[in-house]
């Protein structure tokens, strides 16, 4: 403990003297040392007493500044030194009660309230006992108790409020950090869904253009134009996604799905009720449709696909089924992201492999 105190003193001498978060108020509190020097406005100090005054200030000031950097047990040496200075000067200078008041204020360095108030009581009781033992007048005892008590309590309460505020700021920073992580995960999921679908479509059309190159150059040129259009559209959507503005409509996604499946030779049947869907829920449904179509293009080897959307018992129900040959569905990033988005809105997602892949997604029809 004393070794820590010595290290703190050395750091204070190098500066800064006071933690920046405390502002300049601790410097102003040093004005109360004027009570200690009040006697010498009308009594000339002796040479020995003048040396003692200078030595006291040389000891007290570093101890005072270092106490602001100490917490809990590390602050005890500074309280002891300050208290001893008060004891040493009490018989000679009634203004020595100032040191007991400073020691009372240092009780705020304890984090636990019971320890802080207990130490404050011990300092004040000890100062009163010394005053009675040495037979000091009330002019010494009364300022010690009348000023030391409220100063100590106020310092402890202020420190508690400051620590609570610091903890609140730390929690806010933690929440902001978690929010940034969640946002990165959201962007990662959206990028996977967006680019996975578009790149699958571009790959499919590139393969088709390669097969048409020799036997039907006109159709090949059409496919290349479609590839260019898809790439430009994907670039635009990526920019919107990065900026956080992407809101994909379900009708637009159905049209994209029909075009992509048609290019792959998959017939699409839609049974979609006209519903006023909240924007957040519509975005989740559109992304789920995009991920499902992407999986069909990549893995299903399907000939037909059915998309149904209806309102059942207050729930939005999206069903997507294909007649592909997938024996199982691996839970990749796309399916995981889809499930997370659905559960975030209070819904659930089910996936089954029965003569193809059947996906059912349910979301509460909540108003925005």
């Amino acid at each position: 403990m004393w070794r820590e105190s010595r290290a703190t003193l050395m750091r204070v001498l190098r500066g800064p003297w006071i933690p920046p978060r405390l502002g300049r108020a601790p410097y102003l509190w040093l004005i109360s040392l004027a009570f200690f020097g009040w006697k010498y406005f009308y009594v000339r100090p002796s040479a020995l007493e003048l040396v003692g005054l200078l030595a006291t200030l040389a000891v007290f000031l570093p101890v005072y500044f270092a106490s602001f950097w100490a917490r809990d047990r590390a602050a005890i040496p500074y309280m002891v030194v300050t208290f001893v200075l008060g004891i040493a000067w009490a018989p000679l200078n009634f203004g020595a009660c100032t040191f007991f008041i400073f020691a009372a204020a240092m009780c705020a360095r304890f984090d636990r309230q019971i320890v802080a108030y207990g130490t404050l009581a011990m300092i004040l009781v000890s100062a009163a006992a010394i005053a009675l033992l040495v037979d000091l007048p009330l002019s010494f005892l009364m300022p010690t108790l009348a000023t030391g008590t409220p100063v100590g309590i106020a310092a402890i309460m202020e420190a508690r409020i400051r620590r609570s505020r610091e903890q609140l700021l730390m929690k806010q920073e933690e929440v902001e950090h978690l929010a940034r992580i969640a946002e990165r995960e959201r962007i990662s999921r959206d990028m996977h869904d967006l680019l996975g679908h578009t790149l699958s479509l571009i790959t499919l059309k590139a393969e088709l253009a390669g097969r048409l190159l020799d036997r039907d150059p006109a159709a090949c040129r059409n496919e290349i134009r479609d590839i260019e259009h898809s790439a430009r559209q994907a670039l635009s959507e990526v920019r919107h996604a990065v900026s956080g503005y992407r809101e994909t409509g379900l009708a637009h996604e159905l049209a994209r799905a029909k075009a992509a499946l048609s290019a792959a030779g998959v017939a699409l049947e839609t049974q979609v009720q006209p519903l006023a869907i909240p924007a957040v829920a519509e975005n989740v449904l559109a992304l789920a449709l995009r991920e499902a179509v992407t999986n069909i293009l990549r893995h299903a080897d399907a000939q037909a696909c059915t998309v149904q959307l209806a309102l059942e018992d207050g729930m939005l129900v999206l069903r997507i089924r294909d007649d592909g040959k997938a024996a199982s569905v691996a839970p990749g990033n796309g399916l995981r992201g889809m499930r997370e988005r659905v559960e975030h809105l209070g819904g659930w997602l089910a996936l089954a492999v029965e003569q193809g892949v059947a996906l059912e997604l349910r979301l509460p029809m909540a108003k925005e």
Side-chain angles (χ1 to χ4, degrees):
M1 182 169 58
W2 293 95
R3 185 177 301 173
E4 293 177 2
S5 301
R6 181 176 178 273
T8 302
L9 277 172
M10 296 301 295
R11 184 179 62 183
V12 168
L13 292 176
R14 292 192 298 267
W17 294 351
I18 298 293
R21 70 179 186 278
L22 300 179
R24 298 181 178 180
Y27 295 103
L28 298 177
W29 297 339
L30 289 174
I31 297 176
S32 59
L33 285 175
F35 293 106
F36 179 58
W38 183 258
K39 170 185 174 182
Y40 305 109
F41 282 99
Y42 56 88
V43 176
R44 178 173 295 185
S46 63
L48 181 60
E49 196 169 6
L50 184 59
V51 172
L53 284 171
L54 295 176
T56 298
L57 291 177
V59 171
F60 172 71
L61 290 177
V63 166
Y64 171 75
F65 290 129
S67 68
F68 289 98
W69 299 91
R71 299 285 290 272
D72 294 322
R73 291 180 58 189
I76 294 177
Y78 307 117
M79 297 183 198
V80 172
V81 172
T82 305
F83 190 83
V84 169
L85 290 175
I87 294 175
W89 280 98
L92 305 173
N93 186 337
F94 296 157
C97 62
T98 305
F99 293 110
F100 295 115
I101 296 171
F102 275 115
M106 291 179 185
C107 294
R109 310 298 185 263
F110 291 102
D111 289 336
R112 296 182 60 190
Q113 299 293 296
I114 187 171
V115 176
Y117 286 114
T119 306
L120 174 62
M122 185 170 59
I123 289 174
L124 296 175
V125 169
S126 300
I130 291 171
L132 296 175
L133 182 64
V134 183
D135 197 20
L136 295 175
L138 289 178
S139 59
F140 173 85
L141 181 59
M142 291 307 295
T144 301
L145 298 179
T147 306
T149 302
V151 166
I153 293 175
I156 293 171
M157 294 179 65
E158 181 187 3
R160 180 182 181 183
I161 293 172
R162 185 172 59 252
R163 283 192 288 268
S164 298
R165 185 166 58 248
E166 291 173 353
Q167 291 175 358
L168 179 61
L169 290 175
M170 290 176 60
K171 290 180 180 179
Q172 289 177 343
E173 291 175 356
E174 183 179 357
V175 169
E176 291 175 359
H177 175 68
L178 294 176
R180 285 194 294 269
I181 293 176
E183 181 65 10
R184 285 197 293 266
E185 291 178 350
R186 182 193 70 82
I187 292 175
S188 175
R189 291 193 302 265
D190 290 354
M191 284 295 185
H192 173 273
D193 295 345
L194 185 145
L195 293 179
H197 171 84
T198 305
L199 293 178
S200 296
L201 176 61
I202 290 174
T203 301
L204 183 67
K205 284 185 170 293
E207 292 176 351
L208 180 59
R211 291 196 296 268
L212 294 174
L213 180 60
D214 294 328
R215 67 170 186 255
D216 194 345
C220 178
R221 282 192 294 272
N222 290 335
E223 295 298 332
I224 292 175
R225 280 195 293 269
D226 286 345
I227 291 174
E228 180 184 0
H229 174 73
S230 298
R232 292 183 182 278
Q233 189 170 11
L235 180 60
S236 175
E237 291 184 353
V238 166
R239 287 170 177 167
H240 284 295
V242 171
S243 301
Y245 297 133
R246 180 162 64 85
E247 293 287 346
T248 304
L250 183 61
H252 174 69
E253 200 59 47
L254 279 170
R256 288 172 58 91
K258 184 175 182 180
L261 293 173
S262 176
V266 180
L268 174 63
E269 180 184 354
T270 59
Q271 302 173 12
V272 178
Q273 291 184 6
L275 300 170
I277 305 173
V280 175
E282 184 176 5
N283 189 46
V284 171
L285 294 173
L287 291 174
L289 176 60
R290 172 173 293 195
E291 176 63 23
V293 171
T294 299
N295 288 333
I296 292 172
L297 293 174
R298 287 179 177 174
H299 312 299
D301 191 21
Q303 301 298 318
C305 174
T306 302
V307 176
Q308 299 174 324
L309 177 65
L311 183 63
E312 300 178 3
D313 300 325
M315 300 285 287
L316 287 168
V317 182
L318 175 67
R319 296 185 179 93
I320 304 173
R321 179 186 296 272
D322 67 73
D323 61 352
K325 301 177 181 179
S328 62
V329 177
N333 291 330
L335 180 60
R336 188 180 304 112
M338 190 192 309
R339 191 182 301 277
E340 288 175 358
R341 280 189 290 267
V342 171
E343 292 176 352
H344 180 71
L345 296 184
W348 59 270
L349 182 147
L351 194 66
V353 180
E354 299 174 357
Q355 297 178 350
V357 178
L359 179 146
E360 182 173 323
L361 183 155
R362 290 178 177 263
L363 290 176
M365 184 62 166
K367 295 182 179 180
E368 293 183 285

